[in-house]
Amino acid sequence: MINRSFGFTLDRMNRALDQALTTDWTANQLWIPAIDVLEKNDAYVLHVELPGVEASQVDIGFEKNVLTIRGTKPSSIDAKQGEIRVHASERVHGSFERTLKLPQFVDGEQIKADFADGLLTITVPKAQAAQPRKISINGAQVGANEN
């Protein structure tokens, strides 16, 4: 079973609304990269699909437990090639931005990002306070006899 946060659902609804209300084919289309968010025992892992984008075109920021991913996807149509006739142009390009509010207990100083083959992987470690641990009980002995 997949749990989806309210923010994620709201983001998807906004994306669908933006696409439905765009009536002019020549208008800039809104591109919102798809994101998978996974939770492990010690970290949150985000996979962001960024096909056609280079790592140098992506900026990742973290402030007040909000992770922001922004960048630019270039157009594949180069107007400098001289006179060309475009018969179809369906691939979206331009600026993009995604923001995700992370849980309270993350270690913002240890966030790492890797980029390979159009997939951005961001690892956000949980703070020590948020990681599960076993609590020992002092003074308890199993099977001890009282005198």
Side-chain angles (χ1 to χ4, degrees), residues 18-85:
D18 286 335
Q19 290 174 349
L21 296 176
T22 302
T23 56
D24 184 4
W25 283 100
T26 61
N28 283 340
Q29 295 179 3
L30 179 64
W31 179 53
I32 302 173
I35 296 180
D36 291 337
V37 180
L38 312 171
E39 181 176 1
K40 297 168 64 175
N41 284 339
D42 60 346
Y44 296 94
V45 180
L46 292 79
H47 297 286
V48 186
E49 287 185 349
L50 297 173
V53 178
E54 294 186 23
S56 62
Q57 298 168 317
V58 179
D59 180 43
I60 304 169
F62 182 75
E63 183 178 354
K64 297 181 182 177
N65 274 23
V66 176
L67 185 74
T68 303
I69 307 159
R70 64 175 58 97
T72 305
K73 181 178 180 181
S75 173
S76 61
I77 301 171
D78 186 6
K80 297 176 188 172
Q81 295 176 351
E83 187 176 323
I84 58 173
R85 184 176 299 156

Side-chain angles (χ1 to χ4, degrees), residues 25 43 73 90 93 95-96 108 118 122 128 132 139 143:
W25 283 100
K73 181 178 180 181
E90 295 179 355
H93 63 277
S95 298
F96 61 88
I122 303 171
Q128 286 295 331

